[in-house]
Amino acid sequence: MRGLTHRAVDERAGLPQGSTSNHARTRQALLETAVRRQVQLESRVLTPDELPGAAGPPGAAVGTQSRARDAAPGTTPDGAPGTTPGGPPEPVPHGPLDADTLADVLSLALHRYLTDHRALLVSRYELALEATRRPELRAFFDAAGSVFHGPLVAMTAAAGSPEPERHALSLIAWCEGLMFSCAAGSFHAAVPSRAELRTGFHELLRGMLGGDTRPGLG
């Protein structure tokens, strides 16, 4: 993270020296810009409405809505200046969602992230660790994460969770632990197959929702 400087960004982007500082004059502003960009890139990876099997209302409530995903850095989805990257997505109403579909969509999105976007995963943890040392960045980083948290709460509620907020946090914690193990864990865990991830999500959802959520059962 020490290598993230205004000068380094200018050099990497092939811009005249001083260009980056014109847009992000302080270190804090530079880090916030990095967080905005991180969220934009993660949204493109983790948005199941771009993935097979997630079409229709269920997919629309995961990740960020397209207009939030494509908003310019530092703006709300409507284009007005904002302090978070695109702001949290608006709730998307939809009917009941079966647990099998939820496990399938989540496993596909997570597998795509783990297999094809390891550099993005590492940068996420670099920024998260920097936020632990900078309280002013912590607030911004946490607000940025709301674009992923809110829709997941809506999805667990649609799947029948009696406590969607708590269950969404449990799903996030499981994903975070798995991602860290694959990116930087001491055991150098191999990336699970999509089938293994789907099984893991089914096990979690079975405990949350009751019954057996495996395909064709429960």
Side-chain angles (χ1 to χ4, degrees), residues 3 17 60-61 77 95 112 122 161 175 179 182 188 191 198 201 204:
Q17 287 297 316
R112 185 165 88 162
V122 172
S161 168
C175 291
M179 290 190 296
C182 292
H188 303 289
V191 174
R198 189 187 299 112
F201 279 117
L204 288 168

Side-chain angles (χ1 to χ4, degrees), residues 20-34:
T20 300
S21 63
N22 286 335
H23 297 279
R25 301 195 65 82
T26 65
R27 174 72 172 172
Q28 173 68 12
L30 183 62
L31 290 168
E32 289 182 1
T33 299

